Amino acid sequence: MKWKGERKSENVEDRRGMSSGGKIAAGGGLIGIIILLINMFGGENVQQLTPVLEQLQQGQSTEQVQQRELTPEEKELGDFAATILGFTETTWAKVFQENGMTYENPGMVLFTDNVSTACGNATAASGPFYCPADRKVYMDLAFFEELRTRFGAKGGDFAIAYVIAHEVGHHVQTLLGTSGKVRKLQQGLSQTAANKLSVSLELQADFYAGLWAHYNQKYLEEGDIEEALSAAQAVGDDAIQKKMQGHVTPDSFTHGTSAQRIEWFKRGYQTGDIRKGDTFAELN
């Protein structure tokens, strides 16, 4: 992706290489598997998982206090993330203005290992996520190496851009009131019915990521879209469940299948029309 020399967002807080001094899970193990299954690109699910995390961490946590200098590669990756966030700011300000609204920029926190948020504490095992309580995207950039080596994604910088754009999509849903409506609708529903609404929410965030890519085609290079589609393929509920537990249970899906995630990203990319992203009307 062509990004060097472009504007970097000023709404990025880089906490990498720093420890909060709090307790984090030793290793990961069961905690990592649970969160990866439930919360991959988790949108707003971190708050729901916090009590589970705290219970599982009892008896297997350790104090970690350290600070180190970032490597040149880490610094460049941070610059890339800040630039992509800047691209999303420009795109969504334009889309909102075209529809008679004003866009409010989210923040982004880059962290290593563990992080404290307004939605509770989280570890790197949760993957990238958005916290609606403080309106910030949280990213442990080391996640993308695991996405490539463990889940089979192609890797590449646009895979990271896709994930950032997806999480910003959850911010858009918060601003539009979509997320709040979904949470209210989920109350009192069966788990299966509530999961279907979660799938629609996540697929709409994929649509928004594709819409963002549509508006930024001048920055794309050959193979970039394939990188995004490969990442979407890797984090489908069916792909993750097959990888982690050897079988697929559709009623437990919360993010959509690989095919669905690819389809909605492509729809956003091809249409560039926010009105075409009503995943709720089509899927429920």
Side-chain angles (χ1 to χ4, degrees):
M1 188 176 188
K2 304 169 187 174
W3 64 275
K4 292 187 176 180
E6 300 297 330
R7 180 185 72 86
K8 292 185 289 187
S9 172
E10 298 180 353
N11 299 304
V12 178
E13 181 182 351
D14 198 339
R15 301 183 196 171
R16 292 175 299 164
M18 300 170 58
S19 171
S20 64
K23 292 187 175 183
I24 64 170
L30 179 62
I31 295 176
I33 292 173
I34 290 174
I35 300 178
L36 280 169
L37 285 173
I38 299 177
N39 198 45
M40 185 69 70
F41 296 2
E44 302 177 351
N45 295 326
V46 171
Q47 190 172 20
Q48 299 173 11
L49 289 174
T50 299
V52 179
L53 265 175
E54 292 174 346
Q55 291 178 22
L56 289 173
Q57 286 175 329
Q58 295 298 321
Q60 64 168 39
S61 58
T62 181
E63 293 290 336
Q64 184 178 79
V65 181
Q66 65 177 18
Q67 184 171 357
R68 63 173 177 80
E69 180 71 18
L70 297 178
T71 67
E73 292 78 13
E74 289 173 322
K75 291 178 180 178
E76 181 171 356
L77 195 54
D79 288 342
F80 173 76
T83 303
I84 297 303
L85 186 63
F87 286 163
T88 68
E89 291 170 349
T90 301
T91 296
W92 285 109
K94 177 178 175 62
V95 173
F96 269 52
Q97 184 178 40
E98 290 173 347
N99 288 274
M101 299 178 291
T102 301
Y103 182 65
E104 299 173 21
N105 294 332
M108 176 187 282
V109 177
L110 306 179
F111 71 96
T112 303
D113 296 330
N114 67 319
V115 68
S116 177
T117 83
C119 296
N121 296 324
T123 72
S126 65
F129 62 92
Y130 170 75
C131 172
D134 56 21
R135 299 194 173 185
K136 292 180 180 179
V137 172
Y138 289 85
M139 307 280 295
D140 184 333
L141 296 174
F143 162 82
F144 295 98
E145 181 61 20
E146 182 174 18
L147 185 65
R148 184 182 67 83
T149 58
R150 192 176 185 186
F151 293 95
K154 286 184 178 180
D157 58 7
F158 201 75
I160 301 175
Y162 153 68
V163 175
I164 293 174
H166 172 98
E167 298 306 334
V168 170
H170 286 303
H171 176 65
V172 171
Q173 291 170 326
T174 297
L175 295 180
L176 295 178
T178 309
S179 299
K181 291 178 182 177
V182 168
R183 299 309 175 207
K184 288 183 179 179
L185 286 172
Q186 287 176 319
Q187 296 175 9
L189 293 178
S190 68
Q191 191 62 56
T192 299
N195 286 347
K196 287 182 179 180
L197 287 174
S198 291
V199 168
S200 293
L201 199 66
E202 294 297 331
L203 293 179
Q204 188 178 66
D206 281 327
F207 173 85
Y208 288 158
L211 185 148
W212 166 80
H214 173 88
Y215 275 81
N216 289 271
Q217 293 182 56
K218 67 179 180 180
Y219 300 114
L220 302 187
E221 297 178 309
E222 184 177 355
D224 280 347
I225 294 300
E226 287 72 17
E227 290 174 6
L229 297 180
S230 177
Q233 167 77 28
V235 295
D237 281 324
D238 52 344
I240 293 174
Q241 288 187 356
K242 196 173 296 183
K243 181 78 173 179
M244 302 299 292
Q245 62 189 31
H247 63 275
V248 175
T249 52
D251 284 348
S252 69
F253 288 174
T254 58
H255 290 65
T257 65
S258 296
Q260 287 175 317
R261 301 197 73 164
I262 289 171
E263 176 190 350
W264 282 99
F265 175 88
K266 289 174 67 175
R267 191 177 302 194
Y269 178 66
Q270 291 166 355
T271 67
D273 185 350
I274 194 171
R275 296 168 296 181
K276 302 294 186 181
D278 189 354
T279 53
F280 299 92
E282 292 200 25
L283 299 172
N284 292 288

